[in-house]
């Protein structure tokens, strides 16, 4: 199925443990993003990659690192998990495409990873 | 950064009713998208609409960039429309978005 695939879907970590969230897209998009969503809030940008080989910080990058492994894959790493990182993490991708003469930067989101840090 | 305000925060409709959701933003934007998050948490892109008007079935959206607001219209609402609707404008490069806190919609029979 075309789209954005995130793994794992659920994870429980102990404080101080590390883990990597994986994200892959098969739409040949250039840009990829990691957001977190906390209860009752909108999504906040952690890191993004405008194109293969580049990464930049978003609004809430502290405690995270990212790797744009290739055009398809963009991973998010928690080096030393903290309870404040308990959240739902979403990966997204986007691209410029010409549709009816208009450029479309519309996002496609993955299904999310629900992370609990105890 | 850009500030995003969505209204109303909560909305309950009877099936078949129409509604308008509003999004105000504080800066000039080169990108604006509307999303629906269903009760299972999946985020679906409804519209990419930095300016102008678009329609897709029972949904339509209008962005007036010069006045810094966007509207999402839902006509003949159905129970499957329930969920949270997010407005997300973007500025600068990289196609980054800033999300509002959403409008929680419940459509009842």
């Amino acid at each position: 199925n075309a789209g954005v695939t995130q793994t794992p879907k659920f994870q429980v970590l102990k404080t101080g443990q590390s883990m990597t969230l994986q994200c892959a897209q098969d739409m040949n998009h250039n840009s990829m993003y990691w957001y977190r969503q906390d209860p009752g809030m909108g999504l906040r940008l952690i890191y993004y990659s405008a194109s293969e080989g580049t990464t930049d910080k978003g609004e809430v990058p502290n405690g995270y690192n990212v790797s744009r492994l290739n055009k398809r894959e963009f991973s998010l790493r928690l080096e030393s998990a903290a309870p404040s990182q308990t959240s739902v993490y979403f990966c997204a991708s986007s691209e410029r495409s010409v549709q009816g003469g208009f450029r479309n930067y519309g996002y496609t989101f993955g299904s999310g990873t629900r992370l609990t840090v105890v | 950064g850009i500030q995003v305000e969505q209204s109303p925060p909560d909305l309950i409709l009877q099936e078949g009713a129409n509604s308008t959701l509003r999004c105000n933003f504080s800066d000039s934007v080169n990108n604006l998208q509307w999303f629906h998050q269903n009760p299972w948490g999946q985020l679906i892109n409804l519209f990419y609409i930095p300016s102008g008007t678009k329609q897709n079935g029972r949904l339509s959206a209008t962005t007036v960039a010069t006045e810094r607001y966007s509207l999402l219209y839902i006509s003949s609402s159905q129970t499957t429309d329930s969920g949270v609707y997010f407005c997300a404008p973007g500025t600068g490069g990289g196609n980054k978005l800033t999300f509002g806190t959403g409008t929680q919609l419940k459509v009842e029979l």
Side-chain angles (χ1 to χ4, degrees):
Chain A
N1 293 333
V4 178
T5 302
Q6 289 184 236
T7 56
K9 295 189 183 304
F10 301 94
Q11 184 72 46
V12 178
L13 289 179
K14 295 182 178 180
T15 298
Q17 287 185 318
S18 62
M19 78 163 295
T20 300
L21 282 64
Q22 307 287 352
C23 176
Q25 52 91 10
D26 58 6
M27 295 169 287
N28 202 37
H29 285 169
N30 277 325
S31 301
M32 298 185 73
Y33 315 84
W34 277 104
Y35 286 83
R36 62 177 286 175
Q37 183 178 28
D38 300 306
M41 298 180 66
L43 282 72
R44 292 182 292 168
L45 182 63
I46 305 171
Y47 271 94
Y48 69 102
S49 172
S51 60
E52 185 179 359
T54 69
T55 61
D56 286 286
K57 296 179 180 179
E59 180 185 355
V60 288
N62 291 344
Y64 305 95
N65 285 299
V66 291
S67 295
R68 184 74 183 265
L69 304 171
N70 47 54
K71 191 172 185 179
R72 291 186 63 249
E73 298 173 286
F74 188 38
S75 62
L76 178 72
R77 183 161 179 84
L78 287 70
E79 291 290 352
S80 179
S84 61
Q85 294 178 305
T86 293
S87 189
V88 180
Y89 292 84
F90 288 97
C91 177
S93 70
S94 74
E95 183 56 290
R96 297 182 184 193
S97 63
V98 178
Q99 297 181 355
F102 296 95
R103 292 186 173 184
N104 186 344
Y105 293 75
Y107 275 27
T108 299
F109 275 96
S111 57
T113 296
R114 187 173 296 274
L115 175 66
T116 302
V117 182
V118 297
Chain B
I2 188 170
Q3 303 300 309
V4 185
E5 182 179 317
Q6 291 188 242
S7 60
D10 298 280
L11 184 60
I12 299 175
L13 297 175
Q14 295 296 310
E15 196 173 43
N18 303 327
S19 63
T20 301
L21 282 56
R22 186 177 179 99
C23 172
N24 293 330
F25 43 93
S26 60
D27 293 320
S28 299
V29 300
N30 57 14
N31 188 348
L32 190 139
Q33 300 183 35
W34 283 94
F35 297 90
H36 175 223
Q37 187 168 39
N38 66 25
W40 297 271
Q42 181 66 39
L43 284 155
I44 304 298
N45 186 290
L46 299 175
F47 293 102
Y48 165 75
I49 185 164
S51 63
T53 297
K54 290 185 178 179
Q55 182 162 3
N56 184 0
R58 296 182 295 103
L59 302 181
S60 64
T62 295
T63 297
V64 183
T66 54
E67 298 186 21
R68 300 181 181 174
Y69 73 89
S70 184
L71 303 173
L72 179 69
Y73 305 95
I74 304 174
S75 65
S76 303
S77 58
Q78 301 176 358
T79 56
T80 53
D81 295 331
S82 296
V84 183
Y85 289 81
F86 290 106
C87 165
T91 63
N95 201 23
K96 306 183 301 294
L97 298 177
T98 299
F99 282 73
T101 53
T103 292
Q104 175 85 52
L105 173 65
K106 182 176 182 182
V107 181
E108 300 177 333
L109 292 172

